[in-house]
Amino acid sequence: MPSSDYDPASLPDLLPLYYRRLFPFSQYYRWLSYGGVQKNYFQNREFSFTLKDDIYVRYQSFSTQNELEKEMQKMNPYKIDVGAVYSHRPSQHNTVKSGTFQALEKELVFDIDMTDYDDVRSCCSAADICSKCWTLMTIAIRILDRALQDDFGFQHRLWVYSGRRGVHCWVCDEAARKLSVAARSAVTEYLSLVKGGDETIKKVVLTEPIHPFISKSLEVVKEYFSRYALHDQDLMGSKESVEKVLALVPEDARSYLQQEFEKEKKPEKRWKLIKEEALRKQSTAKKGQYFENEIMLQYCYPRLDANVSKGVNHLLKSPFSVHPKTGRISVPIDVSELDKFDPFSVPTISLICEELDRPRPGEEKEKLEDAKEKADEKDAIEKRKSRDYKRTSLAKYIKYFDQFLDGMARSWKGERLRNSDLQKEF
Amino acid sequence: MQFGGRKKKSSTIPQSELYGQHLQFYGQPPLENISLSEFETFAVERLKLLKTVENLGVSHVKLTDQYRRKLESQLKALNFPYRPDADDKKSQSGPIEYEKRRKDHISHFILRLAYCQTEDLRRWFIQQEVDLFRFHFTELVPKQQLAFLHKNNLHYDTISSEEKTALKDQLINSSFGISGIKVMEHEFYKVPFQDALDLVRLRKVYLKQGYAYIPHQDIVTIVLNDFRTRLSKALALTARSLPAVHSDERLQPLLNHLSHAYVGQDYSIQKNVGKISLDQIDSLSGKSFPLCMRQLHQSLRENHHLRHGGRMQYGLFLKGIGLSLEQALQFWKMEFIRGKVDADKFDKAYAYSIRHMFGKEGKRTDYTPYSCMKVILSNPPSQGDHHGCPFRHSDPELLKQKLQVYKVSPSGINQILELVKGMHYQLACQKYFELTHNIEDSSFSLNHPNQYFLESQKLLGGGKDIKREMDAPQRSQENSASKGSTGTQEVAANTSQHLAEMTEDLESFFQEA
């Protein structure tokens, strides 16, 4: 059983173990140093910790990986957030002349939260998720990942499970990290199609010409729509649901469809009627003829929290952080296996701690070898650590993270060569 | 820039290179010596130009033929460059093209000094310079535009026909009004998406691998935004070096006067105090108040109350038309007492804020009546408010009803509603003026409710006194200019005399505007 019955009360006992033996510090440091291309990039990065009893501390910064480790092992934070790279060390921000301490760079980030879809999912609400509505996250990742790569040219995108009800994206390209507030805002606007709050009934309106971005996004939605919306969400089944959908259809089409639905009860057939009606409208009307697509988008298109993406200094939950309520680790998602990702099989902190303690064959021998390597202690600790997490379900996620970092490292190498050439270092 | 005596020294950069094009981004400040008189002349004339740009922008749709013609004639009259293909090879009388461009260059930088100091000034300056740039840039043919961009290191590259063919469908579907034919005929530029944010934000452009593919028609937007951003940054930098400039006594008076003059009149100096009596207000509100104030007055009479936003907008307006503090207190009190407020409460709660408006409380700022821009753009009214600009903030249906009640003709109402639809709120108000005063063409460009009132009074004949008051400009600057060390006294005296002439010039210019 993957979750191994996580109990939030056990966090104080589990966290120390997690931070001492499982948290992938060297990969984490490797990521946030970005190859050492820019001086003090890691040192000027802000972290924030949420400690026991909801104590929140900001402007944490560290000079070395070791310092980061020691501090985290000392504080055992319940939550870790990553912020921006500042002009000075965040921990010294009070000593800096007012006005000069500024957030300079940060990854471009996105936060997709299942609660933002409450008006269009019938299986769960609020913090709950299930395998039926998880498809929304799959669709979101497919659409956004494609756009970030093909439209914006971003190569290094890390998708992370938030631990409870959503996903985050960290776009780590240099160009992304250097984006201004205005640019982040523009990118977010470009990617937003669902607009309006509780008061708005029709949240997606399409007008000609239909931008290629919208067409491509619709293609993705269409792949999943039948199974997700018609089947899993039973969109065309219950009276209440049908009413909500028909509210998005222009009036004349609505009354026609309502009539037809008296006779036709099968969801697929009902949807077919909607498609046909939309097609008919397209050849006659000037407006409101895209309602079939508008419905699909309103029910499936990703809903972004714009505020998260716009600010350079916005803090976001760190990958490999623990979610205190569910115990799940915020693990990276392998996009190439996206359809197989199951949030309910993401390891919890209790599971991996338990896996850590399970004895393994040949372990006794390794302990003896460890003792012999006292001279090169750091290495031994690293080796043991890597053996540690490799014994747990965390292994495959850290491996994926490593591959992600390898991908980025190729670009860092080029940068470092360029910089050293400029400075004539040999 | 260095300021010598009255002598002009020649610049060290060869003429042909410096002003090779009639349009520029103003990236490099001028590096020559210039006489004080040229300094003043250039500055004042550019200010006149920008004022014209502002007025034309309010009363015409930008870039229409009429707009272009009028702006061009003003450029000609003030000896600024106006034709893209003008050069000095052809002989002509008057200043040669080179001199016009030099004037354009220098005057722009002088005005930066005057207009970098506050947000309001900067916003105004940037807006007019952007509009002026837009005019010049759109006068160029595409080839010239491309040349200009390349010369200014904006390496917007065009895409090849092969690429166009490959991307044809996407390009057609990304930009409004682009057909298959247009794609092949017109240029498309490939620009990093960070340089095309306005188009990206609205998804009005095709994006591929981080590049935006912009049709020629949209490149103007990009360039204008670039111009605007550069100017904004430059003004911020300029503001930092201001103290050094202000310490030069020769410049300070002129710069101060220039930045004050942009508004023309802000109606902050009460010129007709006591000329209006309280019992005239009701009839005046119907005859000479702009719609916003008429509406506020009516709400006040009906509800015996106005909320804060309304009190500020209307109260300051009344101050502007000449109500004294005592009159104002009496006016508001009399009305509020009729409602739910008793005399005591009024004295405690409301009197303070009225005195505040007149600068008699707190930090004693003498608040200025709101201009149209301010009314339209800031503090939109919510439920229960009656302030704001009715042409901007009222539902068109309600506006229509209101105009019907005020006996505006149906055709007049339609004209007004058309202007409102086009977001020309001040023009709509001007149309309201014309309709309620039974004239064909109001001869002014409306930008202030108090201006509306004065123009109305002028028209209705009772305004002779008022008009004379309007002509007295502020002469205080000249006095400060004459103070100074003995060494510069003569220069300063000359400056102040010159300044006085210049001042009259400017003021009378603004009267006409």
Side-chain angles (χ1 to χ4, degrees):
Chain A
M1 246 257 59
S3 63
S4 189
D5 298 346
Y6 166 74
D7 173 16
S10 56
L11 259 189
D13 298 317
L14 297 171
L15 286 173
L17 198 54
Y18 179 63
Y19 291 128
R20 239 174 300 130
R21 292 176 64 187
L22 292 165
F23 188 93
F25 283 106
S26 74
Q27 287 86 345
Y28 199 65
Y29 179 78
R30 188 180 173 214
W31 169 37
L32 295 174
S33 312
Y34 284 95
V37 173
Q38 265 173 273
K39 236 180 113 188
N40 289 324
Y41 212 67
F42 180 81
Q43 289 74 6
N44 290 347
R45 171 80 68 166
E46 180 192 1
F47 297 86
S48 77
F49 294 151
T50 306
L51 310 174
K52 201 156 83 127
D53 298 327
D54 272 332
I55 300 176
Y56 183 66
V57 287
R58 262 193 81 174
Y59 299 111
Q60 305 299 295
S61 62
F62 311 99
S63 316
T64 60
Q65 176 187 328
N66 201 38
E67 207 182 287
L68 173 71
E69 279 190 50
K70 290 273 172 304
E71 198 63 17
M72 276 171 64
Q73 283 155 5
K74 189 171 95 182
M75 308 238 257
N76 289 306
Y78 277 37
K79 280 197 267 192
I80 306 167
D81 288 343
V82 176
V85 176
Y86 281 80
S87 51
H88 306 76
R89 289 180 190 216
S91 57
Q92 296 171 351
H93 74 285
N94 285 321
T95 67
V96 175
K97 194 169 89 169
S98 105
T100 44
F101 179 69
Q102 290 184 18
L104 299 178
E105 296 190 12
K106 192 176 70 69
E107 295 73 12
L108 173 63
V109 293
F110 297 95
D111 179 353
I112 323 253
D113 192 324
M114 199 70 90
T115 43
D116 290 339
Y117 294 80
D118 279 355
D119 58 318
V120 292
R121 53 175 182 148
S122 54
C123 50
C124 313
S125 69
D128 297 325
I129 58 165
C130 71
S131 54
K132 287 195 211 159
C133 50
W134 186 257
T135 313
L136 287 169
M137 294 295 115
T138 308
I139 296 174
I141 296 177
R142 292 262 325 256
I143 290 179
L144 295 174
D145 199 60
R146 183 214 68 77
L148 289 168
Q149 179 174 30
D150 292 347
D151 294 17
F152 290 99
F154 294 129
Q155 301 299 318
H156 307 291
R157 313 165 305 278
L158 184 72
W159 287 92
V160 181
Y161 173 51
S162 74
R164 187 158 65 151
R165 60 188 192 216
V167 294
H168 300 155
C169 180
W170 295 78
V171 185
C172 301
D173 296 52
E174 190 187 344
R177 287 179 273 131
K178 290 177 147 60
L179 287 176
S180 64
V181 171
R184 285 164 208 258
S185 159
V187 172
T188 310
E189 281 293 307
Y190 178 93
L191 296 171
S192 300
L193 274 181
V194 181
K195 310 212 168 129
D198 294 334
E199 320 283 302
T200 319
I201 298 180
K202 197 150 172 63
K203 299 188 162 81
V204 181
V205 178
L206 300 177
T207 53
E208 290 200 331
I210 304 289
H211 192 279
F213 166 77
I214 300 180
S215 313
K216 294 215 178 88
S217 304
L218 267 168
E219 276 168 30
V220 176
V221 171
K222 283 182 182 160
E223 276 180 50
Y224 294 88
F225 191 75
S226 176
R227 177 170 60 82
Y228 165 72
L230 299 180
H231 189 257
D232 291 346
Q233 295 292 325
D234 200 23
L235 206 68
M236 293 279 100
S238 76
K239 188 160 181 274
E240 200 192 327
S241 177
V242 169
E243 248 177 56
K244 271 169 126 180
V245 173
L246 288 183
L248 305 178
V249 173
E251 267 198 65
D252 47 349
R254 199 182 310 157
S255 27
Y256 166 75
L257 288 165
Q258 271 163 346
Q259 258 185 320
E260 292 296 304
F261 285 5
E262 300 279 312
K263 300 176 262 167
E264 182 56 71
K265 302 288 181 188
K266 291 222 192 78
E268 277 83 8
K269 291 267 165 65
R270 282 178 162 181
W271 184 251
K272 191 148 176 270
L273 284 167
I274 289 185
K275 286 213 297 208
E276 283 165 3
E277 186 59 18
L279 206 61
R280 227 173 317 200
K281 257 254 171 168
Q282 273 170 44
S283 48
T284 57
K286 278 258 169 177
K287 302 204 299 181
Q289 69 270 52
Y290 292 112
F291 59 83
E292 172 215 346
N293 292 336
E294 287 164 351
I295 293 170
M296 284 199 280
L297 292 171
Q298 183 153 338
Y299 276 81
C300 301
Y301 185 85
R303 299 166 177 216
L304 308 171
D305 184 347
N307 290 321
V308 171
S309 311
K310 287 182 188 174
V312 179
N313 52 4
H314 192 103
L315 291 144
L316 186 64
K317 187 155 190 272
S318 173
F320 298 107
S321 183
V322 184
H323 196 296
K325 295 212 173 76
T326 62
R328 301 221 190 257
I329 311 291
S330 287
V331 293
I333 299 175
D334 186 345
V335 187
S336 64
E337 310 258 306
L338 186 57
D339 287 312
K340 293 201 203 119
F341 181 82
D342 175 15
F344 297 102
S345 50
V346 169
T348 59
I349 188 175
S350 27
L351 174 70
I352 56 181
C353 286
E354 195 213 322
E355 287 170 333
L356 202 55
D357 286 334
R358 278 190 222 138
R360 248 183 39 197
E363 200 178 45
E364 284 304 316
K365 196 160 154 227
E366 280 167 15
K367 280 206 178 126
L368 286 172
E369 283 177 10
D370 277 351
K372 285 186 197 153
E373 287 166 4
K374 265 296 189 298
D376 199 2
E377 204 180 279
K378 181 169 183 261
D379 210 31
I381 294 175
E382 287 300 327
K383 273 205 193 136
R384 211 224 294 153
K385 258 246 207 82
S386 80
R387 277 197 294 274
D388 277 350
Y389 75 70
K390 283 191 181 152
R391 293 155 64 170
T392 69
S393 310
L394 204 54
K396 73 173 186 187
Y397 299 101
I398 297 184
K399 181 168 177 205
Y400 177 78
F401 191 50
D402 268 326
Q403 287 167 353
F404 174 76
L405 295 173
D406 288 338
M408 282 211 286
R410 287 186 273 274
S411 62
W412 299 336
K413 189 165 171 211
E415 274 302 308
R416 275 204 302 274
L417 282 174
R418 260 194 292 273
N419 285 350
S420 71
D421 278 351
L422 285 172
Q423 288 160 28
K424 307 229 188 304
E425 289 165 7
F426 294 96
Chain B
M1 257 163 93
Q2 275 152 349
F3 305 100
R6 297 256 167 192
K7 282 195 282 183
K8 232 198 299 192
K9 294 202 191 130
S10 56
S11 66
T12 48
I13 301 170
Q15 283 192 15
S16 49
E17 250 179 62
L18 190 54
Y19 296 121
Q21 291 180 313
H22 90 302
L23 180 59
Q24 60 162 301
F25 266 121
Y26 306 107
Q28 295 302 320
L31 292 171
E32 50 170 288
N33 290 341
I34 176 179
S35 70
L36 273 180
S37 79
E38 211 174 24
F39 183 88
E40 286 161 14
T41 315
F42 280 7
V44 168
E45 296 198 335
R46 192 179 191 88
L47 185 54
K48 285 187 186 175
L49 175 64
L50 294 186
K51 246 327 207 154
T52 307
V53 170
E54 180 188 34
N55 286 334
L56 289 177
V58 168
S59 48
H60 297 75
V61 176
K62 292 178 197 170
L63 303 185
T64 52
D65 282 338
Q66 216 190 10
Y67 175 93
R68 284 187 191 279
R69 255 182 288 125
K70 289 192 177 177
L71 186 48
E72 197 181 288
S73 74
Q74 181 71 333
L75 285 163
K76 249 195 249 188
L78 292 168
N79 291 316
F80 282 104
Y82 64 93
R83 270 171 36 226
D85 48 2
D87 57 37
D88 291 329
K89 296 197 192 119
K90 310 181 184 125
S91 65
Q92 25 176 323
S93 58
I96 58 173
E97 187 64 20
Y98 169 81
E99 278 166 26
K100 294 186 199 171
R101 293 177 189 180
R102 175 176 165 270
K103 174 174 173 172
D104 174 62
H105 184 208
I106 296 175
S107 60
H108 170 91
F109 275 89
I110 298 175
L111 286 191
R112 277 196 195 182
L113 294 173
Y115 284 85
C116 62
Q117 302 172 64
T118 70
E119 259 318 300
D120 275 345
L121 289 175
R122 286 190 218 181
R123 205 179 309 139
W124 183 85
F125 181 67
I126 291 175
Q127 183 58 49
Q128 312 323 320
E129 288 283 347
V130 167
D131 283 347
L132 183 60
F133 186 91
R134 183 191 288 115
F135 167 79
H136 283 309
F137 190 73
T138 51
E139 291 269 291
L140 300 171
V141 298
K143 222 165 83 175
Q144 290 170 316
Q145 289 177 345
L146 198 53
F148 172 77
L149 294 176
H150 281 174
K151 217 169 178 178
N152 284 280
N153 287 321
L154 287 174
H155 293 291
Y156 297 154
D157 294 315
T158 53
I159 63 176
S160 64
S161 309
E162 290 81 32
E163 210 173 347
K164 270 198 252 184
T165 316
L167 298 174
K168 193 157 130 195
D169 286 330
Q170 286 92 317
L171 294 175
I172 295 174
N173 286 320
S174 311
S175 306
F176 192 76
I178 299 282
S179 64
I181 302 171
K182 269 198 184 165
V183 168
M184 301 319 292
E185 275 181 2
H186 292 202
E187 297 291 10
F188 269 78
Y189 300 82
K190 190 169 149 180
V191 164
F193 83 87
Q194 291 92 328
D195 292 343
L197 291 182
D198 280 343
L199 293 175
V200 170
R201 176 191 308 276
L202 298 171
R203 215 180 296 113
K204 285 200 162 141
V205 69
Y206 177 61
L207 284 189
K208 185 168 158 213
Q209 293 301 326
Y211 285 92
Y213 289 73
I214 307 179
H216 184 83
Q217 69 200 28
D218 289 336
I219 205 72
V220 182
T221 316
I222 308 294
V223 176
L224 283 178
N225 280 333
D226 193 280
F227 181 78
R228 183 189 288 268
T229 315
R230 290 186 198 206
L231 187 53
S232 185
K233 285 194 190 142
L235 284 179
L237 280 175
T238 311
R240 286 194 218 148
S241 55
L242 260 193
V245 174
H246 272 169
S247 65
D248 189 325
E249 297 156 340
R250 301 167 296 173
L251 302 183
Q252 203 213 15
L254 176 67
L255 292 178
N256 272 342
H257 186 86
L258 284 173
S259 58
H260 182 83
Y262 94 92
V263 162
Q265 300 200 49
D266 58 7
Y267 306 94
S268 59
I269 312 297
Q270 286 202 283
K271 293 188 172 103
N272 308 299
V273 186
K275 291 237 163 65
I276 312 267
S277 72
L278 290 186
D279 47 19
Q280 285 178 285
I281 293 187
D282 280 323
S283 89
L284 280 174
S285 78
K287 286 193 295 187
S288 294
F289 281 9
L291 193 60
C292 56
M293 303 303 174
R294 187 174 184 180
Q295 178 175 288
L296 279 165
H297 181 75
Q298 193 174 351
S299 302
L300 177 62
R301 287 285 189 233
E302 279 170 18
N303 305 317
H304 311 299
H305 189 269
L306 271 185
R307 281 169 156 208
H308 182 258
R311 290 201 302 274
M312 288 302 287
Q313 186 175 323
Y314 189 38
L316 288 171
F317 170 77
L318 289 174
K319 183 173 90 151
I321 69 174
L323 240 57
S324 69
L325 174 58
E326 292 67 38
Q327 284 178 302
L329 284 167
Q330 197 187 351
F331 173 75
W332 291 98
K333 188 167 182 178
M334 260 173 24
E335 198 56 53
F336 272 48
I337 289 183
R338 290 211 192 105
K340 297 190 193 147
V341 177
D342 63 42
D344 268 343
K345 179 159 185 214
F346 180 84
D347 289 331
K348 278 190 208 142
Y350 296 99
Y352 176 90
S353 87
I354 295 171
R355 281 202 301 279
H356 204 275
M357 263 188 244
F358 279 75
K360 299 280 186 278
E361 295 285 355
K363 58 181 176 161
R364 319 261 152 172
T365 317
D366 208 6
Y367 289 95
T368 59
Y370 297 168
S371 64
C372 289
M373 274 288 117
K374 181 151 185 185
V375 172
I376 292 171
L377 293 177
S378 37
N379 193 20
S382 351
Q383 224 18 49
D385 285 324
H386 299 279
H387 64 265
C389 170
F391 302 103
R392 162 80 178 86
H393 296 118
S394 287
D395 193 69
E397 266 312 304
L398 291 176
L399 178 62
K400 186 171 170 182
Q401 281 172 35
K402 185 158 287 187
L403 292 171
Q404 283 166 341
V405 167
Y406 291 153
K407 303 210 176 58
V408 179
S409 71
S411 67
I413 295 182
N414 280 337
Q415 287 177 54
I416 291 180
L417 291 177
E418 272 306 304
L419 286 167
V420 166
K421 214 158 85 172
M423 303 214 291
H424 303 298
Y425 309 116
Q426 284 150 280
L427 291 180
C429 192
Q430 242 172 286
K431 181 58 59 179
Y432 170 78
F433 181 95
E434 287 163 9
L435 293 162
T436 50
H437 289 75
N438 251 313
I439 56 171
E440 278 294 308
D441 189 21
S442 52
S443 52
F444 61 96
S445 265
L446 181 65
N447 54 41
H448 203 293
N450 287 85
Q451 177 195 20
Y452 184 111
F453 178 79
L454 286 168
E455 289 291 338
S456 170
Q457 287 289 290
K458 218 162 62 170
L459 206 62
L460 296 173
K464 287 213 186 84
D465 290 341
I466 297 170
K467 181 171 198 300
R468 241 185 305 170
E469 300 273 350
M470 262 162 66
D471 284 338
Q474 284 194 280
R475 299 216 180 251
S476 52
Q477 263 93 12
E478 298 120 52
N479 299 329
S480 58
S482 344
K483 291 190 212 133
S485 64
T486 37
T488 54
Q489 208 155 38
E490 199 201 275
V491 177
N494 284 339
T495 312
S496 75
Q497 188 199 0
H498 202 139
L499 191 56
E501 290 157 15
M502 201 83 57
T503 305
E504 257 178 57
D505 229 5
L506 257 182
E507 286 298 342
S508 61
F509 175 78
F510 290 137
Q511 299 314 316
E512 296 151 19

